[in-house]
Amino acid sequence: MTSFDEILAASTARGTNIVPGCVLAAVDKTGNKFYSKAAGYDSVLPNSPRINPHGTFWLASCSKLIGTIAALQCVDRGQIKLDEPVERVIPELASLQIIEPVRPGNMTTGDVFTLRPATKKITLRHLLCHTSGISYDMFHPLLMAWRTSRQEEPLMLSGKLVEAYATPLLFEPGDGWTYGGGIDWAGELAARLNELPLEHYCQKYIFGPLNLNSTTFRLGDHPYIKEQLVSTSERAKDGTLKPAARLWPDESQEDCAGGGLYSSSNDYMKILGDLLSDEPTLLTRWTVEGMFQPQLENGSRAVKDLEAATIFGAMTSIRASDGGINWGLGGLYTEKDAGSIRKGSLVWGGLPNLVWFVNREHGLAGLYASQMLPPGDPQSGKLANEFMNHIWRVAGKA
């Protein structure tokens, strides 16, 4: 029987066209990082060095876990409640309208959308659970049509916050599920409540307390982090690999909690480990336990929207047919075993094929980190699943 280490070595060998390189890590509830390995190369270029085990990655949507923690810290302090409307802190969200097609099912002729006032208020829970109605403009044809009507380009990957995510809503807040910039707004809420830019807030209340030295929204302020960045690669249509540019601007205009962070596997594992701890540093234990609870009502439109979304498969390699999925606070929540992800886990990922999970019941968390495009790359997903199954075996919990 082929061992995982043999699979990993074969998958990351130079010239295989499987993956150029990745960094893998797993931690238990005592903070012991019992698995840590860097495999393969920094890029697909023939003279590329081995991937740096301390290399830094554009986290993309893995940033959302940290943005969620920042907002929940404000709940712990009593600065805001989960089910409180956020418009007193973020007035930009007070009057967003709902966008609807003029002719349902027909986006090809004449005026394609209409706008109407929303009747419900957006709460912090809505932002954290993607039930606010805020979606990414590049993900939805109605929002693309809205951008076109304003003679604007899509701004999802622009590094802007207010301009990018103050878009019309796809439904009344709380009435559905759609992936978007809600956690970017939640991070902005934490910044405004504490009168600090989000970078400074996170350095003071998240990165500093956990001694994270390789995590930032602002590469220009941290040359070491920028120098350690792992190169990005892309799979061409013929299956071969080629160098690629990062999709996020190096110097973004705003600190975007939904996708703007850079970090190393060592730093990120300290965050996952803190969520496992019986005495967490960043949040109260009660709040951490609340993160691992399903937030969407069974049988609701929100659950159906989540099950129908293709994004969670790209982010987690979980198939929709596995079922038993919901949303927690910080990531997808598994109500039963789903492939390599065990019941009771929070799990999510990042666009360049990063995946993380945390399971408090079994005291286990793991991270698969790469910089590989496109999102949901099948070869990357297969290797990430092999890794997760492996660490369950190593931990004696398979």
Side-chain angles (χ1 to χ4, degrees), residues 20 42-44 48 56 228-233 244 246 370-372:
D42 179 75
S43 81
V44 298
S48 175
T56 48
Q228 301 298 313
L229 277 173
V230 174
S231 299
T232 303
S233 301
R246 285 189 298 278
S370 77
Q371 299 283 264
M372 179 74 196

Side-chain angles (χ1 to χ4, degrees), residues 7-318:
I7 293 171
L8 181 62
S11 298
T12 57
R14 200 186 294 275
T16 62
N17 287 331
I18 297 177
V19 296
C22 53
V23 178
L24 317 175
V27 66
D28 63 25
K29 68 181 299 179
T30 69
N32 172 40
K33 193 162 75 169
F34 65 89
Y35 189 95
S36 181
K37 181 163 289 192
Y41 297 86
D42 179 75
S43 81
V44 298
L45 295 175
N47 60 347
S48 175
R50 302 288 299 188
I51 193 168
N52 181 356
H54 304 292
T56 48
F57 297 80
W58 171 47
L59 291 182
S61 285
C62 290
S63 306
K64 287 180 169 65
L65 178 62
I66 297 171
T68 298
I69 289 170
L72 291 176
Q73 287 180 328
C74 299
V75 176
D76 275 348
R77 294 189 197 102
Q79 293 174 303
I80 193 167
K81 297 178 181 178
L82 269 174
D83 295 311
E84 178 183 342
V86 297
E87 61 185 41
R88 72 173 174 88
V89 185
I90 309 177
E92 295 94 332
L93 301 185
S95 56
L96 294 183
Q97 294 180 299
I98 294 175
I99 191 168
E100 296 174 330
V102 171
R103 300 174 184 85
N106 186 347
M107 294 287 294
T108 59
T109 60
D111 295 332
V112 297
F113 67 86
T114 185
L115 298 167
R116 66 171 176 85
T119 63
K120 298 180 180 179
K121 301 293 187 181
I122 295 174
T123 68
L124 178 55
R125 194 187 302 272
H126 292 151
L127 294 178
L128 297 179
C129 295
H130 302 290
T131 57
S132 66
I134 297 169
S135 185
Y136 287 128
D137 51 15
M138 292 177 66
F139 283 8
H140 202 282
L142 277 177
L143 295 179
M144 292 289 283
W146 177 77
R147 286 287 187 206
T148 298
S149 74
R150 296 160 59 89
Q151 300 182 323
E152 296 173 351
E153 296 294 323
L155 296 176
M156 172 184 166
L157 295 171
S158 66
K160 300 177 181 179
L161 195 159
V162 175
E163 288 183 63
Y165 308 127
T167 56
L169 308 177
L170 296 184
F171 47 77
E172 291 280 358
D175 286 0
W177 190 93
T178 185
Y179 195 54
I183 295 175
D184 293 88
W185 284 116
E188 179 66 7
L189 177 141
R192 293 185 187 183
L193 282 173
N194 292 277
E195 300 181 345
L196 289 169
L198 185 59
E199 169 78 8
H200 297 172
Y201 175 90
C202 288
Q203 293 289 352
K204 182 175 182 179
Y205 293 110
I206 298 177
F207 309 157
L210 292 184
N211 194 28
L212 310 187
N213 298 314
S214 298
T215 306
T216 186
F217 291 100
R218 304 182 184 181
L219 286 180
D221 294 344
H222 301 275
Y224 169 79
I225 297 176
K226 188 171 184 176
E227 290 168 3
Q228 301 298 313
L229 277 173
V230 174
S231 299
T232 303
S233 301
E234 182 177 9
R235 193 176 307 281
K237 291 183 179 179
D238 65 0
T240 59
L241 302 180
K242 61 181 182 179
R246 285 189 298 278
L247 298 181
W248 191 259
D250 283 0
E251 303 299 333
S252 60
Q253 295 185 22
E254 297 172 85
D255 302 333
C256 295
L261 276 172
Y262 300 86
S263 189
S264 66
S265 67
N266 287 335
D267 277 10
Y268 205 81
M269 291 311 298
K270 291 179 183 179
I271 292 172
L272 300 186
D274 193 55
L275 294 178
L276 290 176
S277 175
D278 288 335
E279 298 181 2
T281 297
L282 301 180
L283 296 165
T284 64
R285 178 169 179 170
W286 182 89
T287 295
V288 172
E289 290 173 349
M291 295 172 69
F292 292 77
Q293 298 293 328
Q295 300 295 309
L296 310 181
E297 184 179 351
N298 287 334
S300 65
R301 173 187 164 182
V303 169
K304 293 175 183 177
D305 287 347
L306 174 60
E307 291 174 338
T310 57
I311 185 66
F312 81 78
M315 291 294 181
T316 67
S317 298
I318 296 174

